[in-house]
Amino acid sequence: MRSILKNDLQRVKTFYKKFSERFIEGLLMLSSSITSLTVVLIVVFLFKEGIGLFNQKPVEQGYVIAINKNNKVKKLSSAQLKNIYDQKIAHWSEVGGTNDSIVLFQMEDISNYFSDEQIGDQLQNLPTCLNKLLDSLPNIIAFLPEKYINKDFKGTILDVNKVSLADFFGGKEWIPTAKPSAQLGVLPLILGTLWVSLGAILLALPLGLAAAVYMSEIADSRIRRIMKPLIELLAGIPSVVYGFFGLVIIVPLIQKTFNLPVGETGLAGSIVLGIMALPTIITISEDAMRNTPRAMKEASLALGASKWQTIYKVVIPYSISGISAGAILGIGRAIGETMAVLMVTGNAAVIPHTILAPVRTIPATIAAELGETSNGGLHYKALFALGCILFLITLFINLTVEFISNRRKYNKH
Amino acid sequence: MINELKIIKSKRRNQAIAFFIFRLLSYSIVAILFIILSFIIVKGVSVINWNFITQMPEEGMTKGGIYPAIIGTLYLVAGSMIFAFPIGVLAAIYMNEYVKDGIAKRIIKQMTNNLAGIPSIVFGLFGMSLFVNKLHFGDSIIAGSLTLGLLALPVVIRTTEEALKAVDNTFRQASLGLGASKWQTTRRVVLPIAFPNIITGLILSVGRVSGETAPILFTVAAYFLPKLPTSIFDQAMALPYHLYEISTSGTHIEESRPIAYGTALVLIIIVLIVNLLANGLRKYFGNKVKMN
Amino acid sequence: MYKIESKNVDFYYGASQALKNINIAIRPNTVTALIGPSGCGKSTYLRLFNRMNDLIDNIKITGQVLIDGGNIYERGINVDSLRKNVGMVFQKANPFPKSIFENVAYGLRVNGITDKKFIEERVETSIKQVVLWDEVKDKLKKSAFELSGGQQQRLCIARCLAIQPSVILMDEPTSALDPISTAKVEELIYEMKSKYTIVIVTHNMQQAGRVSDTTAFFYMGELVEYDNTKTLFINPKEERTQNYITGRFG
Ligand SMILES: Nc1ncnc2c1ncn2[C@@H]1O[C@H](COP(=O)(O)OP(=O)(O)OP(=O)(O)O)[C@@H](O)[C@H]1O
Ligand SMILES: [Mg+2]
């Protein structure tokens, strides 16, 4: 009797042990899947909002563009609308209509046509007034709130093209709050990002590689032991602090040196980003150089090569894939950096022609503008689309680095 | 013979020139670091005093202290670590102790790498759309902490993995050989040995999280709050965001410069402490392990 | 006249002494074998002759090492030129990740030779010297890694010969090779003797007996016995030598 009980107890114990092992393993597995889950969620959320942009019209929600019903024009693109309201397009013929000049109308202009009495103190007659206006002026184009349009509206509500991929990637203007139609061309932002990052890498690469070579091959271990933590420190400084430093030191310096109206320029961004990319470049390429087999270096030295010849003929070729991985990751870091750039580049969304002019990058745009947008609106979605671009760029960079380092492993055998 | 001498000379000269340039460039990097540090220290040190770190901001951030920003950052660091540290350590244990090399491990690794490579502003976008909007947390400490936690997760995983890898395999075999289960081995043998290095990883991620700005811009950070947050669903101020705001916007940029220098110095001090602590721990425990 | 002499050489890695008062004199155009149990300091001693130990931090050396009568540890010695004169072959074949041709040409190029014709000729004669020419003459542009282990080691010897050193140091050059490749390398050593002074570290007693003229037996950092190879193997003066060569410890 007792032994049976003991047996049972034993069985329960083993069962419990097995169960808890399983349970823990499940918990561990769950934890390790969180990163993957997060990546997937980021993709889903980013792209859901971002792609939603291309389902929207660039005209502000609740507003319409109306013209006289006899006007032949039935459709206008966002860029055409903007040019019309900027008075760069003055004749209907330029957009496929008659050869008459365009009459612009916005709600503010209503008092030019009607008196306050006519409109009514509760604006109760406004729809009728607008109706009259659209009917009487054959060349009018009007930007109107939808709610003032009544059922027997005599004008035509113009069809505005949805935001297209071509507009988005080919557009040269980024004015998401433009009226009547937002201008969502990311070209200046993409170019701005590349411009600043390119400058950064041009500054950081020579410095970083030199430091990597120096630390791994030239300096004695004492100096290396001092430099290594300093580089780590450089990596640990928050980007706002870099931005702040750039703002109070580098920006005024650039302004004075080049005698510019403002010092917030692409160059300032490149310098700050270059400093920030240094630790990445140094650590990764130094690691790669240290991995050069000692036998390889000794073989070279034993043949009478100098230390320097050994470095550039053996060590650097041997670690070239690691070095390029470092450089690419450095570029990636520069492209994704937000705060420092936001603080020092001046943020003008124009296609850059010189490093001495303000530029605006993709991350800085998101950071600067997301706070002003209404949740789910056109501008909001446009910024998410920018986030998608950023995500894809960094994903591409990661995969490239992965590819390079896998190839290196293969080469070693 | 003369020719040979010439060659020797030119080899020597080339090496001397090259090494000189390398040394110069390397030292210039160190110089850059010192310029940044000393500039902020010199300008900020006169600002920092007890009142500065314990008082509320006053007169549109031109006077007073940065107490609420310090508290906010503390909350955010704590919140993000409560989330990221256990999950990150567990994930690393799974990766290093449980899964065998194969497709699954490769995928997890790749995903973790990808997550680590995502720019922080994208985390901000994501945190805003998921935590703030979708889950209706609003701009809140919890939304900000979770966003920062996700950002820190790859850091924790990577450092923990390295710590686990450094544990000699013979310890595991010995424990398993005595009939201990995998989890028992991990908990009683592997983790205690790896513990110091895991803690180093934790400290480094604290450093990283405390300085991040982009992820909290739209998930928690407030320009000014008259009161300290009382719940995790409140907004909070934070040091890096505070520095950003008072140095770039507002009408009193010039008047609030001293406050900005002070804030920057506080951030630098955090980084210095974190790095010293991490290096010290590494050295201390590194020696200890060797001695045993 | 001796080719290589070491006088009262002490050598330290940090605080631990690896070589204790070593005195050896080596005649030109001879093969000297260094033998002894693992960790006794053979490699350390060999690497003194081309100052390869200089790469290691925290080392200290006292005494004199003379090559052709000059102290190679004197101040102002050009180490690169010393190493050009004192070639080295390593335990594991370590070709560069370059083509077969470039491997052999490397030493010439780093020593400032640019004449293409000259380089081609020198590469060819060097490869022929190690009896590798017929095996590689059609694939000189191919990576050196495509060769077998034994071929790679002979290529490394050719690489060493190309810069025409007068001394060749070999650290267990055949320990990673199969018997046939080993025999080829041994034969090579025997032939090279006429032109070079060779010092070879080996764990293989038969090999030492086959290829060397004199042998030095090291034990725990000390030079126990240094003599004519035949004498040392047949009639050792020291009991420790006797024990080692008969395999009683090692
Ligand atoms: N880089 C180094 N730093 C510190 N000590 C070293 C170093 N290289 C070798 N030693 C020590 O010096 C001693 C002699 O080593 P060495 O390599 O010369 O021995 P060896 O006779 O060549 O042995 P083997 O036959 O195994 O190659 C050993 O005790 C070794 O541990
Ligand atoms: Mg040896």
Side-chain angles (χ1 to χ4, degrees), chain A residues 21 24 28-29 32 35 45 211 214 234 236 241 247 304 306-309 338 342-343 367 370 375 380 402, chain B residues 11 15 22-23 26-28 33 39-40 91 94 98 110 112 121 128-130 133 181 183 218 244 247 271:
Chain A
E21 281 284 318
I24 285 164
L28 295 176
M29 193 162 82
S32 72
T35 51
F45 273 80
Y214 183 70
L234 205 59
V241 176
L247 194 63
S306 68
K307 228 168 162 184
W308 167 231
Q309 285 174 322
T338 313
L342 179 62
M343 292 165 84
L370 191 59
N375 187 355
Y380 179 88
E402 196 74 14
Chain B
K11 263 164 86 176
Q15 167 155 324
F22 284 138
R23 183 172 301 125
S26 307
Y27 288 175
S28 71
L33 175 67
F39 173 73
I40 287 171
Y94 186 71
Y98 281 76
Q110 182 66 51
T112 311
I121 187 71
M128 173 176 179
S129 63
L130 175 60
N133 293 338
S181 69
W183 174 242
F218 313 113
Y244 165 64
S247 58
V271 171

Side-chain angles (χ1 to χ4, degrees), chain C residues 42-43 91 171-172 201:
Chain C
K42 306 178 297 287
S43 299
Q91 178 169 0
D171 194 348
E172 303 182 41
V201 172

Side-chain angles (χ1 to χ4, degrees), chain B:
Chain B
M1 216 47 219
I2 290 167
N3 195 23
E4 189 152 325
L5 261 176
K6 234 172 155 180
I7 289 165
I8 290 172
K9 263 196 188 146
S10 91
K11 263 164 86 176
R12 262 192 194 170
R13 198 190 50 231
N14 288 347
Q15 167 155 324
I17 294 173
F19 283 14
F20 174 75
I21 293 173
F22 284 138
R23 183 172 301 125
L24 198 72
L25 292 180
S26 307
Y27 288 175
S28 71
I29 292 177
V30 176
I32 290 173
L33 175 67
F34 275 104
I35 290 173
I36 295 175
L37 288 184
S38 53
F39 173 73
I40 287 171
I41 291 173
V42 166
K43 291 272 196 172
V45 83
S46 57
V47 181
I48 291 195
N49 53 36
W50 186 247
N51 287 342
F52 183 71
I53 56 176
T54 57
Q55 284 189 347
M56 302 294 282
E58 282 160 27
E59 297 179 30
M61 312 281 182
T62 58
K63 296 252 163 57
I66 54 167
Y67 181 61
I70 292 179
I71 293 298
T73 289
L74 278 182
Y75 283 154
L76 289 175
V77 167
S80 59
M81 283 304 126
I82 288 173
F83 167 72
F85 186 62
I87 293 184
V89 170
L90 292 181
I93 290 176
Y94 186 71
M95 302 260 283
N96 203 55
E97 309 290 321
Y98 281 76
V99 217
K100 296 188 185 66
D101 288 337
I103 278 271
K105 190 167 176 174
R106 279 245 314 273
I107 291 177
I108 301 177
K109 265 223 141 91
Q110 182 66 51
M111 284 301 203
T112 311
N113 276 349
N114 288 343
L115 193 63
I118 293 176
S120 51
I121 187 71
V122 174
F123 278 93
L125 277 177
F126 172 65
M128 173 176 179
S129 63
L130 175 60
F131 302 123
V132 176
N133 293 338
K134 192 89 189 173
L135 300 177
H136 300 292
F137 290 161
D139 277 5
S140 59
I141 292 178
I142 176 136
S145 299
L146 288 172
T147 310
L148 286 172
L150 289 177
L151 180 119
L153 201 52
V155 185
V156 177
I157 292 180
R158 201 178 303 155
T159 46
T160 309
E161 262 202 291
E162 265 158 36
L164 294 174
K165 270 199 199 112
V167 176
D168 202 66
N169 244 333
T170 52
F171 291 116
R172 294 188 183 89
Q173 284 153 6
S175 166
L176 290 172
L178 292 169
S181 69
K182 207 157 200 172
W183 174 242
Q184 285 171 325
T185 303
T186 307
R187 194 170 67 99
R188 288 170 201 265
V189 179
V190 179
L191 281 183
I193 299 175
F195 184 72
N197 285 330
I198 295 179
I199 291 299
T200 313
L202 171 69
I203 293 171
L204 288 176
S205 18
V206 166
R208 169 92 197 264
V209 163
S210 59
E212 278 291 348
T213 319
I216 60 172
L217 280 176
F218 313 113
T219 53
V220 49
Y223 175 57
F224 175 70
L225 295 171
K227 280 190 317 188
L228 292 180
T230 52
S231 99
I232 54 168
F233 293 102
D234 284 351
Q235 277 189 290
M237 295 173 70
L239 284 171
Y241 182 68
H242 192 66
L243 175 58
Y244 165 64
E245 280 294 348
I246 61 178
S247 58
T248 57
S249 56
T251 40
H252 312 293
I253 292 184
E254 283 313 314
E255 290 90 330
S256 50
R257 265 292 132 82
I259 308 276
Y261 285 120
T263 312
L265 182 53
V266 171
L267 280 167
I268 290 284
I269 290 173
I270 294 177
V271 171
L272 283 174
I273 291 177
V274 159
N275 277 42
L276 282 179
L277 218 56
N279 277 327
L281 266 179
R282 244 184 246 153
K283 228 174 240 163
Y284 178 69
F285 284 106
N287 291 344
K288 217 167 158 184
V289 168
K290 259 186 231 145
M291 258 151 44
N292 287 350

Side-chain angles (χ1 to χ4, degrees), chain A residues 136 193 350 359 405:
Chain A
S136 58
T193 308
V350 288
V359 296
S405 34

Side-chain angles (χ1 to χ4, degrees), chain A residues 294, chain C residues 11-14 16-19 36-47 53 56-57 59 91 171-172 201-203 218 221:
Chain A
R294 218 175 111 161
Chain C
F11 185 88
Y12 302 82
Y13 288 113
S16 81
Q17 186 165 11
L19 294 174
S38 187
C40 67
K42 306 178 297 287
S43 299
T44 304
Y45 186 59
L46 188 76
R47 291 158 62 92
N53 288 327
I56 299 162
D57 285 333
I59 53 147
Q91 178 169 0
D171 194 348
E172 303 182 41
V201 172
T202 176
H203 274 286
F218 283 76

Side-chain angles (χ1 to χ4, degrees), chain C residues 66-85:
Chain C
L66 310 178
I67 290 181
D68 294 323
N71 185 359
I72 60 168
Y73 281 90
E74 208 159 72
R75 269 178 161 270
I77 281 283
N78 186 312
V79 181
D80 304 344
S81 322
L82 167 73
R83 290 187 184 139
K84 184 171 166 277
N85 183 33

Side-chain angles (χ1 to χ4, degrees), chain A residues 219-222 225 294-315 317-318 411-413, chain C residues 47 50 52 55-57 79-81 83-84 86-88 90 92 94-98 103 106-107 109-112 145 159-160 163:
Chain A
D220 57 33
S221 59
R222 195 173 43 91
R225 271 204 299 276
R294 218 175 111 161
M296 220 59 98
K297 288 193 237 173
E298 287 189 347
S300 167
L301 293 169
L303 290 165
S306 68
K307 228 168 162 184
W308 167 231
Q309 285 174 322
T310 305
I311 290 170
Y312 78 80
K313 285 190 173 236
V314 176
V315 176
Y318 194 88
N411 269 351
K412 269 189 186 153
H413 291 296
Chain C
R47 291 158 62 92
N50 64 348
M52 217 42 147
L55 303 183
I56 299 162
D57 285 333
V79 181
D80 304 344
S81 322
R83 290 187 184 139
K84 184 171 166 277
V86 183
M88 186 165 210
F90 297 80
K92 247 191 98 211
N94 54 355
F96 299 118
K98 299 177 190 282
N103 260 282
Y106 183 89
R109 295 197 197 282
V110 297
N111 286 300
F145 289 144
R159 183 174 71 180
C160 170
I163 52 171

